[in-house]
């Protein structure tokens, strides 16, 4: 029973954002490539949850050697999800992708969406930190 609870919680944490996005009414106006690339991004975010759990061996009833192999596979899937996400969004809207990747969007959303931890770790080129020395960070 103790081994079932973490696996159930992990499955729920993976399924919840995918199901919520699947039922979004905003999808009805989008093309298939936009939807697929959006789901690639969501899937990639769920892999970010799984990968450290596998590396640390924190999932019950999973031998360490198998966890390490799954960790590597998860990394490959994560890379594929990121590439699929960026390429798909590039096909639908190249200017938005350029804004997000160069942090030149007129809104702060490119910083929030493109940095690893959202607004908690803005990139060094973000205006408030552009002139800060590395020792001041």
């Amino acid at each position: 029973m103790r081994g079932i609870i973490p696996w159930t919680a992990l499955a729920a944490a993976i399924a919840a954002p995918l199901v919520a996005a699947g039922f979004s009414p905003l999808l009805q106006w989008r093309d298939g490539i936009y939807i697929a690339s959006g789901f690639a991004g969501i899937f990639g975010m769920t892999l970010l949850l799984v990968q450290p759990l596998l590396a640390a061996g924190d999932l019950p009833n999973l031998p360490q050697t198998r966890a390490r192999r799954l960790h590597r596979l998860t990394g490959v899937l994560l890379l594929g999800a990121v590439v699929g996400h960026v390429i798909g969004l590039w096909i639908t809207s190249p200017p938005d992708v350029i804004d997000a990747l160069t942090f030149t969007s007129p809104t702060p959303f490119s910083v929030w969406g493109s940095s690893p931890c959202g607004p908690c770790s803005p990139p060094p080129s973000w205006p408030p930190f552009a002139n800060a020395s590395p020792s001041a960070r």
Side-chain angles (χ1 to χ4, degrees), residues 26-136:
L26 301 174
L27 294 180
Q28 61 187 334
W29 294 287
R30 301 295 186 178
D31 293 330
I33 188 72
Y34 189 93
I35 295 169
S37 62
F39 273 91
I42 297 166
F43 179 65
M45 293 297 286
T46 64
L47 292 176
L48 287 174
L49 170 67
V50 175
Q51 197 173 29
L53 294 173
L54 290 169
D58 289 340
L59 295 172
N61 303 325
L62 187 65
Q64 186 68 24
T65 55
R66 184 165 172 89
R68 292 291 173 137
R69 269 186 270 139
L70 288 172
H71 171 75
R72 286 190 289 275
L73 175 64
T74 303
V76 171
L77 290 174
L78 177 59
L79 179 63
V82 169
V83 169
H85 178 69
V86 173
I87 288 174
L89 293 180
W90 178 268
I91 291 169
T92 61
S93 181
D96 289 341
V97 174
I98 292 170
D99 285 349
L101 294 177
T102 60
F103 300 107
T104 56
S105 173
T107 64
F109 295 113
S110 68
V111 175
W112 294 342
S114 300
S115 60
C117 184
C120 65
S121 63
S125 62
W126 195 49
F129 300 106
N131 296 325
S133 66
S135 61

